[in-house]
Amino acid sequence: MAKKEQAPDSAEKRVIIRTIGMKKLYRKGGQETAALRGVDVEIYTGEFISVMGPSGSGKSTFFNMIGALDSPSEGRVFIDEVDVAQLTAEELAFLRCRKIGYIFQSYNLIKYMTALENVTTPMAFGGVPDDDARKRGMEILGLVGLRERWFHRPIEMSGGQQQRVAIARALANQPAILLCDEPTANLDHHTGQEILDILQKLNKECGVTIICATHDHRMMNVCDRLMWIRDGSIERIARRDEVHVELAGID
């Protein structure tokens, strides 16, 4: 059984994501596979969470559930106190557009668009007027250090720069939650650290709740809590200081 998680110390924190008995079953050819096996978890506003686990452990499925990209076979998912299962397709689309930002390992930028166009595209779906979108897009590109490269297309950028554009795009509609799927996996050590620094800045200075699926152990230095998933279950949740104390005790 997973160790009971501890709430953040600040009384101002509130639960922004809650799952209750969340299960996901896949059926193929008469066989049933459990990707998630009754996950109960609470994530608080302004937290930085690192989700770790081996390939096939259920991390991606967990992300799809809490990101409202898929529905659990059993159990419930609440995002900002809203039961996702009760939303219409239109309401779900609005939730994904305005409440959650997604950063993918493969960047998923539109190749023929400039950095600014990639960033402002989600704003169009959010109903932001063109002039306001352009102004906000330039501000966000400045936040990730790419204001001067707004006119460059993905093919003209390094992997780190493309990931910065992906982060900027995820922030387009000022989401409360940022879901990051292996954001440093395709980057060299130095560039990966730059991306971690940007994520930490967004978390600490902008109050964005960040949840990262990762194998990068440098996340231990920036996250508030670590969550380990194994065989579709939460194996353990620990605060960063608890993990550092444990590592310090290893000879």
Side-chain angles (χ1 to χ4, degrees):
M1 180 178 295
K3 178 181 177 181
K4 183 173 178 58
E5 58 190 299
Q6 299 185 37
D9 297 330
S10 173
E12 298 178 357
K13 301 291 186 181
R14 61 182 177 82
V15 175
I16 193 167
I17 294 176
R18 177 188 289 115
T19 70
I20 301 174
M22 184 173 68
K23 297 181 180 181
K24 185 64 177 179
L25 305 176
Y26 293 103
R27 295 178 177 87
K28 184 177 181 180
Q31 293 186 330
E32 185 175 88
T33 302
L36 294 175
R37 304 171 183 268
V39 172
D40 299 301
V41 70
E42 291 182 343
I43 296 171
Y44 300 85
T45 57
E47 276 200 288
F48 195 131
I49 301 287
S50 291
V51 183
M52 296 188 170
S55 298
S57 61
K59 297 194 305 297
S60 295
T61 305
F62 175 75
F63 260 53
N64 288 341
M65 300 299 118
I66 65 173
L69 296 173
D70 197 358
S71 302
S73 304
E74 297 180 29
R76 305 169 76 183
V77 179
F78 295 85
I79 298 178
D80 210 7
E81 302 181 358
V82 174
D83 186 347
V84 174
Q86 303 302 314
L87 299 179
T88 65
E90 184 177 348
E91 290 169 335
L92 268 175
F94 181 84
L95 175 75
R96 289 190 290 258
C97 180
R98 301 304 297 268
K99 184 70 67 173
I100 306 170
Y102 304 89
I103 300 174
F104 303 97
Q105 179 179 346
S106 56
Y107 319 137
N108 286 2
L109 300 177
I110 301 174
K111 295 180 179 180
Y112 62 84
M113 286 188 174
T114 65
L116 181 60
E117 289 168 339
N118 268 284
V119 173
T120 56
T121 293
M123 299 184 202
F125 292 105
V128 179
D130 290 346
D131 288 346
D132 293 342
R134 181 181 176 85
K135 179 180 178 181
R136 186 192 299 177
M138 291 297 289
E139 290 174 352
I140 299 173
L141 285 172
L143 185 65
V144 299
L146 287 180
R147 186 181 182 91
E148 302 305 319
R149 304 205 61 167
W150 66 267
F151 55 90
H152 287 258
R153 291 175 171 77
I155 196 173
E156 302 170 307
M157 299 179 181
S158 67
Q161 290 169 339
Q162 290 183 60
Q163 190 64 295
R164 287 169 183 255
V165 175
I167 292 172
R169 180 185 58 191
L171 297 172
N173 289 320
Q174 302 173 309
I177 302 165
L178 202 55
L179 297 180
C180 313
D181 184 12
E182 299 282 2
T184 63
N186 294 329
L187 307 175
D188 61 59
H189 182 85
H190 176 74
T191 306
Q193 185 60 54
E194 291 180 342
I195 296 301
L196 290 183
D197 292 343
I198 291 173
L199 293 176
Q200 187 176 31
K201 180 178 180 180
L202 293 172
N203 175 248
K204 298 303 181 186
E205 297 183 11
C206 304
V208 179
T209 302
I210 296 180
I211 308 164
C212 280
T214 183
H215 289 94
D216 191 337
H217 285 81
R218 288 175 297 178
M219 286 288 182
M220 291 183 183
N221 297 321
V222 299
C223 70
D224 298 305
R225 290 191 294 164
L226 292 95
M227 179 188 306
W228 285 269
I229 296 182
R230 184 179 295 274
D231 296 329
S233 299
I234 301 294
E235 186 176 59
R236 185 184 176 210
I237 299 176
R239 294 196 310 267
R240 177 179 60 185
D241 58 344
E242 294 174 329
V243 175
H244 282 173
V245 166
E246 291 174 5
L247 292 176
I250 299 175
D251 293 330

